[in-house]
Amino acid sequence: MSSPSATPTKGKRTRGSNPPTPWSEDALTPPSRRRRTDDASTSDLQPMPTSPVTDMRSPAVQDTSLFSSPAQSRHSAPLNEIDMSSPLTYGTPSSRVEGTPRSGLRGTPVRQRPDLGSVRKARQVDLHSDHANGPEAPASEHSVGQKLVIWGTDVNVGTCKEKFQRFLQRFIDPSSTDDENAGLDLNEPLYMQKLEEINVVGDPVLNVNCEHLQSFDADLYRQLIAYPQEVIPTFDMAVNELFFERFPDSVIEHQIQVRPYNALKTRNMRNLNPEDIDQLITISGMVIRTSQLIPEMQEAFFRCQVCAFSTRVEVDRGRIAEPAVCRNCNTTHSMALIHNRSIFSDKQMIKLQESPEDMPAGQTPHTTVVYAHNDLVDKVQPGDRVNITGEQVITFSRSSRVQHKILRIYRAVPIRLNPRQSNVKSVYKTHIDAIHFRKTHEKRLHGLDEEAEEKLFTEERVRTLRELAAKPDVYERLSSALAPSIYEHEDIKKGILLQLFGGTRKDFSQTGRGGFRAEINILLCGDPGTSKSQLLQYVYNLVPRGQYTSGKGSSAVGLTAYVMKDPETRQLVLQTGALVLSDNGICCIDEFDKMSDSTRSVLHEVMEQQTLSIAKAGIICQLNARTSVLAAANPVESQWNPKKTTIENIQLPHTLLSRFDLIFLMLDPQDEAYDRRLAHHLVSLYYQSEEQLEEEFLDMAMLKDYVAYARSYIEPRLSEEASQALIKAYVDMRKIGSGRGMVSAYPRQLESLIRLAEAHAKVRFSDKVETIDVEEAKRLHREALKQSATDPRTGFVDISILTTGMSATARKRKEELAQALKRLIQSKGKVPTMKYQQLFDDLRAQSDVAITKDMFEEALQALTDEDYLTVTGKTVRLL
Amino acid sequence: MPTVHDWINNPLGIVEDIFAQSNCSPDWETKVLEYFKEKLKDNEAASWVPSLNDVPVHYLKANSLVKFRCFIQDMFDPEFYMGVYETVDPSSKSKVLRSGKYKDVAECGHQVDLNTKNAVTLERQTFYCVPIPGESPWVKESYSCSNPARVVPSTSYAPCRHKRSYEEDEDMETQPHKQKEQLAGPQGTTDIHGSGDPKRLETEAPSSLSNAASGCSSPLDLNFPLPGEKGPACLVKVYEEWELFKVNDILEVYGILSVDPVLSVISEDKDSSLVDPMDCTESVEEQRVHCPPASLVPRLHMLYAHRLQHNNPLLPPAASEASSGFLNDVVSVRGELLGYLTHVLLGDALAAEYLILHLISTVYARRDVLPLGKFTLNLSGCPHNSTYTEQLYRVIQQLIPSSFRLGMSLHNMNNLRLVPRKDYTANRLLSGVLQLAPNTSLFLDETQLEQGQLDSTGVRNITALGNLISWQKVDYDFNYHQMEFPCNINVLIASEGKSLLPFLTPCLPCTPHSPPQCDCHVRLQPQLAPPNLEQYISTIQVSLSPSLLNKFRIYLSLLRTLDYSISEEVTKAVEDDFVEMRKDDPQSISAEDLHRLLVVARLLSLSVGHTTLSRDRWMRAKHLETLRTNRTEQQKCVNGNEP
C-alpha cells in the first residue's frame, strides 16, 4: 500500500485522537486549516466522485466554484441546513471522473439513495500541501488526486474504493454461521459469491457485515462508522465497478447498493446520544408503528411560465431552492413547479421501541423514529423485532428561522413559511435513516438452530462463569440459588435447574426419526400452598423466553397459534400463542389439571415432537415449539391422597404424564427436623437484610448468565463410560420389575436419563457426559419416580402407573377377580341367566378381600370382553 | 430581600450570569445546580417558592422558580436541544454565546448563528408528571397552608370550588362524591372571608383547569391515573441523572416554569403540520400529547428535585428525623387510635387492631418474586348497607396521605382501565387506576359487586387485582409485550362474605384450602348497631380533636419507615414454637400461616414503636391470629356453605 493509504493516515492523525466524538473541540479545529489549503490547491482538484447523479443538474450549482462557500465544518452540519439551501451549493460529481465504471454500466440506471442524506455536499480536500514533506510523500503511480480527502473527513475516495474492492475480493470467513450466507461456499471469497448471486437473482443489493469489514480492515471500518454519508457511496461505486467488470452483460434494475449491517457499535436505544449524530449505528428494537407510504420528492421540475425553459432542482432535506430567475429569458419569479414531472421516492416512517430486555426496571421504553426508503419500505411490520443499521440524523425543528426563500414540498403543495417568526424552538428532532433491516425473530420460523440473539459475554464475565463452573459444588450452589425464598425441595430445584440447561439437541432427521427432544419437561404436583406457583413465577422471571399461563385461563388457541384476518389489508396473519412464544424457553403452566381436554391435547405434539401443526383458514404450517414445559397440578381432592396413585390423584391422562421426564410431588413431609429448617428459613427471610442474602446466594443475574452461557456454548456428548453406565442403568431399571412380571422402564425413560445426564454435564460446563452425570441423572430420576410412581398398594416403584395409568398389581388383581367370578359362575352349573345382585353377593361372600361394586363391574366387563357373558340390565346371561 | 426575588422571580437571569462568567468552561452547569441547592437548603427559603399544586398556572409568573409535588406518570423520549448557541447582533455584528439550558425557546432578539462551531447539542429527558394520585384533601390543604408563597392568597381555592360544582353536575359514577364532604371542611373557612372575590374569579379563571379536570369532556386528556382527579399536569424537563428516576416515583421538583405560547403548536400550525415532510414523524395525536398547550400543561425545567419518601405534610421530608421525639408517646397514640377505629368499626376491637396493622404495612423488601411485608386485609361482614363502606373509607382517607376507593361494581370492573396501557398512536402510557404511588391505600369495595357477567376486560381487571394482591406487581400492557412494574399498594377489601378476589384470579392457585392470597381475612363482628350509621360515624369524627387526628396521621406515616429486626434468640424461640405447634397437629399451622404470623408480629412490634421482636409480641401475635381464625371458623360453622 503506498500513498493512497498513507494520505488518509495523516488525516486520521488529526482526527484520530478522538474519532467518535465529532463534537469535541479537538475535531473542530481542522476545518479551518484545511480551508487554507483548499484555496491554494483548487487548481488540482478533481471533481467529487461520489455517487453518480443524473446529468441534468441545477445550473446554479454548476456555476459555483467548488469551494467558494465559506468554511463549514461538517460537524455542525446538522445546524447548517439553512445555508445548505442557499444557491451556493457544492460540487456535484460528474461523469468526468477518470476510470469510473460508468462506461461499463451501459445505462444501468442509478438509484438515488435518500437514505444517505447529504451525500452531494461532500467535497474533497487536498491534504497534499499539508504534508508535502511528510514521511509518506512517495507518491508513486497514483495521481495527485489520490491525496484528496472528502472535506471534513479523512476519507480518500480512491483509497477507500480500492480497499473496499480488495475486501470484497479477498474476504473469506470459513467459520461463518451467519444465516445470510446459507448455501455459499465458505472457503471462497464470500462477497464475490454474493455478487454472482446478484447477477443471477438480479436483486441489486449487497449486504455487508461490518464485522467482516472490521476484521479485514479496521481503518476502513472506522471510516465507515464515522462517515457513512461519504463512505457508503464510495462503496457503491467500488462494487459497481467490480460487478460490471466481472459481469459486463448483466442486466439489473439499478446499480448495486451496499447495505452495511451489524455495525459493532450496536447499541441500546437508551445510549444514543448527541455524539452519534451522523454516524453509522446499529440498534435493536421492536417496530411499534409504521406510517403510510410517503412519496418524497427527490428532484423538482420547474418550468418557466414565459419561455417554457425547464430546469431541475434537487431536493435537499425536504427543501427546494426555487429558482428565482429564469436563466433563459431572465424573467424573475416565472418558474413554476410541474409536479408530475418531478421525481419522487418512497419513504416510510417507522417507530421503533426499545426491546423489553434492554430496559432498566421501572422506566418506560424509549422510541425512535426511523425512515425507511425505497425498497426498505414495508419491509417490517409492527411487532417485529429488528436490528436497524442506519445513521442518526438530526434535523431542526419546524419553526426554524428562514433566510432564503424556500419551498417545502409534500405532494407538490408549496407552502411558504411564515418569515416573521423570530424565536427558535430550541429542540431538535432526530431520526434514523435506515440502511438495513434485520429481523431478529425470523429465524424461529425458519427453524435454524442457533439461538437467535446470542448473548454477548464480556471476557471478564466468561471468566467468572468458568471459575464458578470449576467449583466442585457448582451443582449444589446453583440449585440453592434457584428461588432461594422457597425452602427445601432440593431435588425439585435440581430438576428445574437441569430443565433450565436442557439436553443436547440431536438431529436424526436423516435416519428418519426427526429431531430428538432436548428439552426436559417437569410436572410438579402436590398439596396446595406448597409454593408451586411461586416456583413457576420464579422460573418465568428467570428465563429470557419464559411464558406463564394458567390452565384455567388458557384455551388451546391461546397456547398454540391462531390465524387472524387483518382488517385493513385482508391478509391472514398468524398470531402465536404461549407455546410458540416460549420456543427455546420454558412454558410455565399453572393449574395444569384445570386445563380442558382439548387444550391438553395440543400438548401431546409439543411435548414430544416439539412442533405445532397449524391447519387453519388456509394456513397450513408447522411451527417450532421447542419449549420445555414446567407444569404444576393440584390433586383432584384438594389434598393429596397418599393411598392413591399419581394418576388417580391428579386425573391426568397417562399419555400426557409419560411425556414428563420428571414428576415431583411437593408434599408436606411433616417431620420435626424439616419443620425446624423451614421455620428457620422463613424467619430468616424476615429479618435478614437484602445484602446478607446476596452474599449467601448467587444473584439472579449471575444465574441467568450462567444458564445462557451454558445453553449457547456447551454441547456435551456422551463419553464411552457414560453410555455404558446409561445402558446399565436402563437394564437395571428393567430388571427391577421383571422379577414380578412388570415392566418398570421404557425407552422413554432411557431418553429422559440421557437428557438429564447431558444437562448435568452442561451445569459443569463439560463437553463430555461422564459417569457422575449419569449417576446424578439416575438418582434424580429415581427420586422422582419414587415419589410419583410408587404403587400405594405394594410400595414398589412401578413405572406402568405412569405409562398405562394402572399399576401392574392392580391389573393382576383385576384379572384374578375376573377368573374368580368365572369360576363362581361355572360352579353354579348350567344356568343361562343370573341375577346381577345375587352374583355380586355370592362373589363377596366367597372372596376374602373386600370387593367393591366397581371391581365387580370391572370383572364383569372383562368377562364380557372374553365373550363369556353379556350383561343386560339386572341380568347376566351366559353365552 | 432582593436576592430572594432574584432567584425566585428570575432564575434564568442567574443561570445566564453564571454561564457568562464561566467562559464556556463546562463546570458552569454544576455551579448553577449548586447555587440553587444552596438557596433551597433553608427550609424557609423553600417555602417562599410558589407551588404549582396550590397556585393556578395563570397566577404564576412565567420563567420564575416554582415547585411541584408530583408523580411521574410517563417518561417521554429524550430530546436533543441547543445547549449552547451563538447570537449575532445584526447592527454591531458582535457575537454572543448563550445557553439554551432550562429554556424551551432560544431567544433570538438577534439572529441566531446556527452554524457556529461553538454550538453544542445536548440531551435532556422529559417526564410527564401529574399531581400525586389519590392525595387526600387534608394533605393538599396542609401543604398549601404551610406554603405562604401564594400569589393571590384567597384565590387558590376559587377554581377548586367551582370545579366541585362541576363535578356534582356530572355523573361521576366511578367515584361517587367521595371527596365532596371532605372538601367541605377546609372550604368552609375560605367561603367566609372570600365570598366576594371568588365569585368574580369563577367566571374568568377556571376554564382551563376545570376543562382539564373533567377529562372526558375536554379535548385534551391529561391522563390522570384516577378518575375525577384534578390539578395541573406538567412536562418536567430533566437535565441531570434522569436514570435515577422511575415511573411512579413521587417527587418534589424545583424548576423554572415555562409557559411560552410558542409551545402550543397544535392550534396554530395545524395545517402546516400535515404538509411538512419533516414533521410527519409525529401524528396529530402524538403532537397533542407531547406538545400540549402550555397554558394547560406547563413545562418545568428542573433545577433540583428530590424523591419523596412520603407525602405527609406533617412529617419532615426525611421521616427518620421526627421519629425519636414521637416514639415516646407512640403507645398512647396507638391506644387512642385503637379506640377511635373500634368505634368506627362498630365496636369490633379485633378488627380495629388488624386495621392498624394493615395501615402501617409496607412492602419493605422483595425476595426474588416474593414481596415481603405486604399485609392485604379483607374485612368481611360489612353491613349490607351501602353507605357503611363509604363512611369507613372516609375515615381512612382522613388518616392517610393518599388513598383511593374502587367500587367493584360490575360496571366498573367491565369498563374501567385498571392497568396502564401504552397507546402507540399517541406514543404515551395511558394511565390506569392501578398506577399508584408507593404506599397508596387502595380500598376495594366489594359490597357493590352484584351478580352478572364479567366480560374479557372484567376478567383482565380482576386478574390484575389478583396479581396486585398476591405479588404486589402490575403488568403494564405494552401491546406486544407486558412489562412488570413492582408496586407497593396497601389493599383493603371490604366485602360481605369472604372476598372473591383471590379465587377468581386465574393465575392463582384456587383450591379452597389454599392460603388466602389476601394476607389476612377478618370477619367483622359489630358490637353495636347504630340506627343511623352515617350520623354515628360523623359524630365520632367530629368528636375527634384536630390535634389528635394529626397525631394519628403522623403515627401511621412514621411507623412505616422504621427498621425492624429479629434477634437470634427470638428466632430460635419462634422456630421452636413452630416445631412444637406442628408436632401437636401438623394441619394446624402451615408455612403460609407462619409467613403471616411473622408479618403480624412485625407489624405488631412496629405499631408500639419497637424495632425488634420480643417474645411477648410473638405470643400476642399468635393470640391475635387465634382469635381471628376462631372467628372465621365460627362463621364457617354458622354459614356452612362458606368455603
Side-chain angles (χ1 to χ4, degrees), chain B residues 567-582:
Chain B
S567 65
E568 282 293 324
E569 192 189 341
V570 181
T571 310
K572 191 87 190 72
V574 168
E575 285 170 30
D576 289 343
D577 216 14
F578 179 70
V579 174
E580 203 57 36
M581 281 188 280
R582 299 261 305 179

PDB file of all heavy atoms in Angstrom, chain B residues 567-582:
ATOM      1  N   SER B 567     -33.970 -10.768  66.790  1.00  0.00           N
ATOM      2  CA  SER B 567     -32.707 -11.210  67.370  1.00  0.00           C
ATOM      3  C   SER B 567     -32.577 -12.720  67.221  1.00  0.00           C
ATOM      4  O   SER B 567     -33.559 -13.435  67.022  1.00  0.00           O
ATOM      5  CB  SER B 567     -32.640 -10.821  68.842  1.00  0.00           C
ATOM      6  OG  SER B 567     -33.640 -11.541  69.536  1.00  0.00           O
ATOM      7  N   GLU B 568     -31.343 -13.192  67.360  1.00  0.00           N
ATOM      8  CA  GLU B 568     -31.050 -14.630  67.262  1.00  0.00           C
ATOM      9  C   GLU B 568     -31.924 -15.430  68.209  1.00  0.00           C
ATOM     10  O   GLU B 568     -32.501 -16.460  67.860  1.00  0.00           O
ATOM     11  CB  GLU B 568     -29.577 -14.873  67.627  1.00  0.00           C
ATOM     12  CG  GLU B 568     -28.610 -14.527  66.525  1.00  0.00           C
ATOM     13  CD  GLU B 568     -28.741 -15.446  65.325  1.00  0.00           C
ATOM     14  OE1 GLU B 568     -29.003 -16.645  65.545  1.00  0.00           O
ATOM     15  OE2 GLU B 568     -28.635 -14.962  64.189  1.00  0.00           O
ATOM     16  N   GLU B 569     -32.002 -14.884  69.405  1.00  0.00           N
ATOM     17  CA  GLU B 569     -32.678 -15.591  70.487  1.00  0.00           C
ATOM     18  C   GLU B 569     -34.150 -15.804  70.147  1.00  0.00           C
ATOM     19  O   GLU B 569     -34.686 -16.914  70.265  1.00  0.00           O
ATOM     20  CB  GLU B 569     -32.541 -14.730  71.739  1.00  0.00           C
ATOM     21  CG  GLU B 569     -32.919 -15.376  73.018  1.00  0.00           C
ATOM     22  CD  GLU B 569     -32.947 -14.323  74.116  1.00  0.00           C
ATOM     23  OE1 GLU B 569     -32.333 -13.245  73.913  1.00  0.00           O
ATOM     24  OE2 GLU B 569     -33.594 -14.569  75.129  1.00  0.00           O
ATOM     25  N   VAL B 570     -34.769 -14.728  69.703  1.00  0.00           N
ATOM     26  CA  VAL B 570     -36.191 -14.819  69.396  1.00  0.00           C
ATOM     27  C   VAL B 570     -36.408 -15.708  68.172  1.00  0.00           C
ATOM     28  O   VAL B 570     -37.377 -16.469  68.109  1.00  0.00           O
ATOM     29  CB  VAL B 570     -36.787 -13.411  69.173  1.00  0.00           C
ATOM     30  CG1 VAL B 570     -38.269 -13.505  68.867  1.00  0.00           C
ATOM     31  CG2 VAL B 570     -36.549 -12.552  70.388  1.00  0.00           C
ATOM     32  N   THR B 571     -35.473 -15.628  67.248  1.00  0.00           N
ATOM     33  CA  THR B 571     -35.571 -16.506  66.082  1.00  0.00           C
ATOM     34  C   THR B 571     -35.691 -17.949  66.531  1.00  0.00           C
ATOM     35  O   THR B 571     -36.542 -18.709  66.076  1.00  0.00           O
ATOM     36  CB  THR B 571     -34.304 -16.373  65.213  1.00  0.00           C
ATOM     37  OG1 THR B 571     -34.057 -15.015  64.984  1.00  0.00           O
ATOM     38  CG2 THR B 571     -34.464 -17.102  63.911  1.00  0.00           C
ATOM     39  N   LYS B 572     -34.813 -18.280  67.447  1.00  0.00           N
ATOM     40  CA  LYS B 572     -34.775 -19.653  67.962  1.00  0.00           C
ATOM     41  C   LYS B 572     -36.136 -19.990  68.595  1.00  0.00           C
ATOM     42  O   LYS B 572     -36.710 -21.062  68.335  1.00  0.00           O
ATOM     43  CB  LYS B 572     -33.656 -19.740  69.008  1.00  0.00           C
ATOM     44  CG  LYS B 572     -33.308 -21.121  69.440  1.00  0.00           C
ATOM     45  CD  LYS B 572     -32.250 -21.695  68.485  1.00  0.00           C
ATOM     46  CE  LYS B 572     -32.032 -23.182  68.724  1.00  0.00           C
ATOM     47  NZ  LYS B 572     -33.132 -24.008  68.278  1.00  0.00           N
ATOM     48  N   ALA B 573     -36.607 -19.061  69.380  1.00  0.00           N
ATOM     49  CA  ALA B 573     -37.865 -19.292  70.076  1.00  0.00           C
ATOM     50  C   ALA B 573     -39.001 -19.503  69.077  1.00  0.00           C
ATOM     51  O   ALA B 573     -39.840 -20.397  69.248  1.00  0.00           O
ATOM     52  CB  ALA B 573     -38.169 -18.105  70.985  1.00  0.00           C
ATOM     53  N   VAL B 574     -38.985 -18.677  68.055  1.00  0.00           N
ATOM     54  CA  VAL B 574     -40.044 -18.783  67.046  1.00  0.00           C
ATOM     55  C   VAL B 574     -39.967 -20.140  66.360  1.00  0.00           C
ATOM     56  O   VAL B 574     -40.980 -20.818  66.166  1.00  0.00           O
ATOM     57  CB  VAL B 574     -39.910 -17.642  66.017  1.00  0.00           C
ATOM     58  CG1 VAL B 574     -40.810 -17.895  64.820  1.00  0.00           C
ATOM     59  CG2 VAL B 574     -40.249 -16.312  66.655  1.00  0.00           C
ATOM     60  N   GLU B 575     -38.739 -20.543  66.063  1.00  0.00           N
ATOM     61  CA  GLU B 575     -38.581 -21.841  65.398  1.00  0.00           C
ATOM     62  C   GLU B 575     -39.102 -22.966  66.282  1.00  0.00           C
ATOM     63  O   GLU B 575     -39.839 -23.850  65.829  1.00  0.00           O
ATOM     64  CB  GLU B 575     -37.100 -22.086  65.084  1.00  0.00           C
ATOM     65  CG  GLU B 575     -36.604 -21.267  63.917  1.00  0.00           C
ATOM     66  CD  GLU B 575     -35.099 -21.349  63.774  1.00  0.00           C
ATOM     67  OE1 GLU B 575     -34.515 -22.398  64.143  1.00  0.00           O
ATOM     68  OE2 GLU B 575     -34.511 -20.363  63.328  1.00  0.00           O
ATOM     69  N   ASP B 576     -38.703 -22.885  67.545  1.00  0.00           N
ATOM     70  CA  ASP B 576     -39.160 -23.923  68.480  1.00  0.00           C
ATOM     71  C   ASP B 576     -40.669 -23.967  68.532  1.00  0.00           C
ATOM     72  O   ASP B 576     -41.281 -25.035  68.520  1.00  0.00           O
ATOM     73  CB  ASP B 576     -38.605 -23.631  69.884  1.00  0.00           C
ATOM     74  CG  ASP B 576     -37.118 -23.892  69.927  1.00  0.00           C
ATOM     75  OD1 ASP B 576     -36.637 -24.591  69.005  1.00  0.00           O
ATOM     76  OD2 ASP B 576     -36.436 -23.388  70.837  1.00  0.00           O
ATOM     77  N   ASP B 577     -41.205 -22.790  68.622  1.00  0.00           N
ATOM     78  CA  ASP B 577     -42.646 -22.668  68.732  1.00  0.00           C
ATOM     79  C   ASP B 577     -43.335 -23.328  67.550  1.00  0.00           C
ATOM     80  O   ASP B 577     -44.296 -24.081  67.693  1.00  0.00           O
ATOM     81  CB  ASP B 577     -43.006 -21.180  68.772  1.00  0.00           C
ATOM     82  CG  ASP B 577     -44.177 -20.938  69.686  1.00  0.00           C
ATOM     83  OD1 ASP B 577     -44.503 -21.855  70.450  1.00  0.00           O
ATOM     84  OD2 ASP B 577     -44.758 -19.837  69.616  1.00  0.00           O
ATOM     85  N   PHE B 578     -42.804 -23.045  66.391  1.00  0.00           N
ATOM     86  CA  PHE B 578     -43.388 -23.583  65.161  1.00  0.00           C
ATOM     87  C   PHE B 578     -43.327 -25.111  65.162  1.00  0.00           C
ATOM     88  O   PHE B 578     -44.307 -25.800  64.906  1.00  0.00           O
ATOM     89  CB  PHE B 578     -42.622 -23.016  63.963  1.00  0.00           C
ATOM     90  CG  PHE B 578     -43.103 -23.496  62.630  1.00  0.00           C
ATOM     91  CD1 PHE B 578     -44.333 -23.090  62.134  1.00  0.00           C
ATOM     92  CD2 PHE B 578     -42.339 -24.373  61.866  1.00  0.00           C
ATOM     93  CE1 PHE B 578     -44.783 -23.532  60.907  1.00  0.00           C
ATOM     94  CE2 PHE B 578     -42.792 -24.818  60.643  1.00  0.00           C
ATOM     95  CZ  PHE B 578     -44.011 -24.396  60.159  1.00  0.00           C
ATOM     96  N   VAL B 579     -42.126 -25.612  65.511  1.00  0.00           N
ATOM     97  CA  VAL B 579     -41.948 -27.067  65.530  1.00  0.00           C
ATOM     98  C   VAL B 579     -42.924 -27.687  66.532  1.00  0.00           C
ATOM     99  O   VAL B 579     -43.570 -28.708  66.260  1.00  0.00           O
ATOM    100  CB  VAL B 579     -40.502 -27.410  65.892  1.00  0.00           C
ATOM    101  CG1 VAL B 579     -40.343 -28.905  66.065  1.00  0.00           C
ATOM    102  CG2 VAL B 579     -39.570 -26.901  64.811  1.00  0.00           C
ATOM    103  N   GLU B 580     -43.054 -27.014  67.658  1.00  0.00           N
ATOM    104  CA  GLU B 580     -43.942 -27.503  68.712  1.00  0.00           C
ATOM    105  C   GLU B 580     -45.389 -27.573  68.206  1.00  0.00           C
ATOM    106  O   GLU B 580     -46.083 -28.577  68.372  1.00  0.00           O
ATOM    107  CB  GLU B 580     -43.846 -26.544  69.908  1.00  0.00           C
ATOM    108  CG  GLU B 580     -44.230 -27.148  71.227  1.00  0.00           C
ATOM    109  CD  GLU B 580     -43.390 -28.387  71.535  1.00  0.00           C
ATOM    110  OE1 GLU B 580     -42.170 -28.407  71.192  1.00  0.00           O
ATOM    111  OE2 GLU B 580     -43.958 -29.332  72.076  1.00  0.00           O
ATOM    112  N   MET B 581     -45.784 -26.511  67.579  1.00  0.00           N
ATOM    113  CA  MET B 581     -47.168 -26.450  67.088  1.00  0.00           C
ATOM    114  C   MET B 581     -47.418 -27.541  66.055  1.00  0.00           C
ATOM    115  O   MET B 581     -48.473 -28.158  66.033  1.00  0.00           O
ATOM    116  CB  MET B 581     -47.450 -25.083  66.462  1.00  0.00           C
ATOM    117  CG  MET B 581     -47.720 -24.002  67.479  1.00  0.00           C
ATOM    118  SD  MET B 581     -48.265 -22.495  66.677  1.00  0.00           S
ATOM    119  CE  MET B 581     -46.739 -21.797  66.124  1.00  0.00           C
ATOM    120  N   ARG B 582     -46.418 -27.772  65.229  1.00  0.00           N
ATOM    121  CA  ARG B 582     -46.596 -28.775  64.180  1.00  0.00           C
ATOM    122  C   ARG B 582     -46.623 -30.168  64.774  1.00  0.00           C
ATOM    123  O   ARG B 582     -47.229 -31.079  64.205  1.00  0.00           O
ATOM    124  CB  ARG B 582     -45.461 -28.685  63.164  1.00  0.00           C
ATOM    125  CG  ARG B 582     -45.367 -27.375  62.444  1.00  0.00           C
ATOM    126  CD  ARG B 582     -45.987 -27.400  61.108  1.00  0.00           C
ATOM    127  NE  ARG B 582     -45.460 -28.458  60.243  1.00  0.00           N
ATOM    128  CZ  ARG B 582     -45.906 -28.662  59.015  1.00  0.00           C
ATOM    129  NH1 ARG B 582     -46.867 -27.914  58.530  1.00  0.00           N
ATOM    130  NH2 ARG B 582     -45.399 -29.628  58.264  1.00  0.00           N
TER     131      ARG B 582
END
